[in-house]
Amino acid sequence: MAPSTEAVLDNYLFHPNTAPFVARLLIQRLNVASNPAPNYVKAVANAFRSGSYSIEGTNFGSGNYGDLSSTIAAILLCPEAASPTVDGE
């Protein structure tokens, strides 16, 4: 891959809006919530950024930015995922 192409892709991947965007889309596509709460999106975005997610002493992810195993774990195991909300809250 050309260095300029790689630089552009890195710019998009590491943009501050990428993690919340990916988090919201994955939450919606996995049918966890059609209108996820901001705190839920923030928790999943943090897992995407840090590459790790921990709950009840169990750790998920490699610690690398964008690790999808930690992101998916955050989506499915986050307490926000289990709490029912009404759209518009």
Side-chain angles (χ1 to χ4, degrees):
M1 190 178 321
S4 60
T5 305
E6 196 168 322
V8 168
L9 293 175
D10 282 347
N11 188 39
Y12 285 131
L13 179 65
F14 292 101
H15 190 278
N17 291 336
T18 299
F21 179 78
V22 169
R24 186 181 55 79
L25 283 181
L26 285 174
I27 291 167
Q28 290 173 334
R29 296 306 183 257
L30 292 172
N31 290 322
V32 177
S34 60
N35 187 17
N39 287 339
Y40 185 23
V41 173
K42 185 177 181 179
V44 175
N46 286 339
F48 182 86
R49 282 188 196 104
S50 68
S52 63
Y53 182 74
S54 180
I55 187 165
E56 298 177 5
T58 305
N59 298 317
F60 299 91
S62 64
N64 296 322
Y65 182 93
D67 186 290
L68 289 179
S69 64
S70 63
T71 307
I72 299 299
I75 290 170
L76 299 177
L77 302 174
C78 184
E80 295 266 351
S83 63
T85 58
V86 177
D87 286 352
E89 282 191 344

